[in-house]
Amino acid sequence: MTQYIIRRLLLSIPTLLGIVFIVFVIARLLPGDPCLSALGERATEAICAAFNERFGLNEPLHVQFFLYLGQLARGDLGDSIRYGRPVTEILIERLPTTLELATYALIFASISGVLLGLISALRRNSRTDVTTMFVAILGVSIPIFVLALILQFVFAVALPEVTGNLFGTRIGLPPSGRLSPGLPYETIPQAFGLEDVGGLPRAILDFLSGILTFNFLITFQWRQLADAVQHLILPVIALGTISLAIVARITRSSLLEVLGLDYIRTARAKGVSDRDVLRKHAFRNAMLPVVTIIGLQLGLLLAGAVLTETVFNLTGVGRTMYDSIVGRDYIVVQAFTLIIALIYLTVNLVVDISYAFLDPRIRLK
């Protein structure tokens, strides 16, 4: 197992280098001038010359690439052209929002998708099965931004209006943002008196504080936690619905295939109850392709975060990536792509390792 993990980690290095190279080249092939995008009317010829020299944009493309690799080797992600700040600081601010959103969307899609697929497989060709698969197909067909707008209208506009007219109390969900405006809260350093901590520990604490639900949970800020959860419900549903539908369909087809195998019929012939057949024999074997799909869904969720964060006005990696592409901020685009690739490769490594636990016949060497 250890050798397998080390081998996979070593194989990830050329993959990351390839991603960095492709993004580096594509970013610089986009039309537009970073200086003009960043400075606008102030971008005179002399100012742009100094601007390009500061960010190394006056060097040949291959020289820029090797300089960038040297920065990465030192752990330096560079300075943002658009914001004029180290990219690491921007990551600490923006990445927690995207990770929080994508994590809850993945949990929502995985649990709901497996349950729906399980129910559909056990009631094959019934009304429940047909209805579940229809919902799954509908979920795959609706674009994220369309579903997000529908959810906003129904639960943030129409529902409060209806409940206000009927009951005198407006009941609904927040249409955007991460917290209600003006709601005070404490970060982890503030709550535990760690404001004087600096360096890497402080960066880690600030990063964890940016994951608001985690921050409020461990600092016992229950009112803020409830408010943060309410703000997450609509974006999580909008982002996770497509993945939910895919997981449900894969779970159904995989479970039906396993239930038709000889060893399942043998177990039933020996008098094993349907519950034990499902729990002890069928479910774990059926989960292998489902786990693979769930791991792959992370890439879909991170990509969908761009639209979700834009519609729900969340300042995360997706929204920042969009603004950086429009503003020709190559440094931020490269750094954020590298981080997303690292997350994706890590999750897929975890998925591969989980195979050995789901099916003992699989040995990772």
Side-chain angles (χ1 to χ4, degrees):
M1 178 74 77
T2 304
Q3 292 180 354
Y4 173 80
I5 295 174
I6 294 174
R7 188 166 63 249
R8 280 294 304 271
L9 291 174
L10 292 176
L11 289 174
S12 298
I13 296 175
T15 303
L16 289 173
L17 288 176
I19 292 171
V20 169
F21 176 75
I22 292 172
V23 174
F24 184 91
V25 173
I26 292 178
R28 281 157 176 75
L29 291 177
L30 293 174
D33 189 333
C35 179
L36 294 176
S37 299
L39 302 180
E41 296 180 353
R42 296 176 298 161
T44 63
E45 186 174 344
I47 291 177
C48 280
F51 181 93
N52 292 334
E53 183 177 357
R54 175 191 172 189
F55 291 100
L57 300 177
N58 57 341
E59 301 288 348
L61 192 61
H62 67 280
V63 175
Q64 293 184 41
F65 179 69
F66 285 110
L67 288 174
Y68 181 64
L69 288 182
Q71 285 183 326
L72 291 180
R74 299 191 301 271
D76 182 8
L77 295 177
D79 294 335
S80 168
I81 296 174
R82 180 183 178 89
Y83 302 102
R85 300 166 53 201
V87 175
T88 305
E89 293 182 4
I90 302 174
L91 269 173
I92 292 173
E93 291 178 1
R94 312 290 171 88
L95 185 58
T97 300
T98 300
L99 284 182
E100 185 176 41
L101 177 61
T103 300
Y104 286 124
L106 188 62
I107 294 172
F108 163 70
S110 302
I111 296 176
S112 303
V114 169
L115 288 176
L116 289 177
L118 179 63
I119 293 171
S120 184
L122 295 178
R123 300 187 179 185
R124 183 180 183 182
N125 297 328
S126 66
R127 290 184 178 179
T128 302
D129 181 22
V130 174
T131 303
T132 302
M133 288 302 100
F134 173 77
V135 172
I137 294 173
L138 189 64
V140 173
S141 305
I142 301 178
I144 291 176
F145 69 92
V146 173
L147 179 60
L149 292 173
I150 292 174
L151 291 173
Q152 281 182 326
F153 175 76
V154 172
F155 292 99
V157 179
L159 182 61
E161 188 68 25
V162 171
T163 55
N165 293 333
L166 292 178
F167 309 110
T169 302
R170 296 172 65 88
I171 301 174
L173 292 171
S176 62
R178 299 187 72 193
L179 282 176
S180 298
L183 180 65
Y185 71 91
E186 291 184 329
T187 63
I188 294 175
Q190 292 171 340
F192 293 105
L194 301 174
E195 295 179 85
D196 294 334
V197 175
L200 181 60
R202 181 53 185 265
I204 295 174
L205 290 174
D206 289 340
F207 181 86
L208 295 176
S209 297
I211 306 175
L212 293 185
T213 51
F214 176 79
N215 178 20
F216 299 149
L217 183 63
I218 68 170
T219 56
F220 311 112
Q221 300 179 71
W222 307 122
R223 178 187 170 196
Q224 288 82 353
L225 177 61
D227 189 79
V229 170
Q230 289 179 23
H231 280 79
L232 276 173
I233 292 175
L234 293 185
V236 164
I237 293 175
L239 181 58
T241 297
I242 293 179
S243 297
L244 183 156
I246 294 173
V247 171
R249 296 179 67 184
I250 295 296
T251 301
R252 178 185 182 274
S253 62
S254 178
L255 190 57
L256 287 175
E257 181 182 354
V258 171
L259 289 173
L261 296 177
D262 291 340
Y263 77 92
I264 297 295
R265 288 194 291 267
T266 301
R268 284 173 171 165
K270 289 181 177 180
V272 180
S273 66
D274 289 341
R275 180 178 180 180
D276 286 341
V277 166
L278 177 65
R279 182 170 59 89
K280 295 182 179 180
H281 301 284
F283 188 71
R284 286 180 65 178
N285 288 333
M287 283 298 100
L288 288 177
V290 176
V291 169
T292 302
I293 290 298
I294 290 174
L296 293 175
Q297 291 311 299
L298 180 66
L300 177 64
L301 294 175
L302 292 174
V306 176
L307 294 173
T308 307
E309 290 173 4
T310 301
V311 174
F312 288 98
N313 194 28
L314 302 172
T315 307
V317 168
R319 180 73 178 273
T320 306
M321 281 276 282
Y322 171 79
D323 292 338
S324 299
I325 292 171
V326 173
R328 306 298 183 268
D329 194 343
Y330 307 144
I331 311 300
V332 171
V333 173
Q334 293 164 181
F336 279 31
T337 303
L338 178 63
I339 297 300
I340 291 174
L342 278 171
I343 295 172
Y344 191 67
L345 290 171
T346 303
V347 170
N348 277 275
L349 176 61
V350 173
V351 168
D352 287 348
I353 295 173
S354 69
Y355 290 165
F357 296 96
L358 289 171
D359 189 346
R361 295 171 299 178
I362 298 175
R363 291 291 179 263
L364 303 178
K365 298 179 181 179

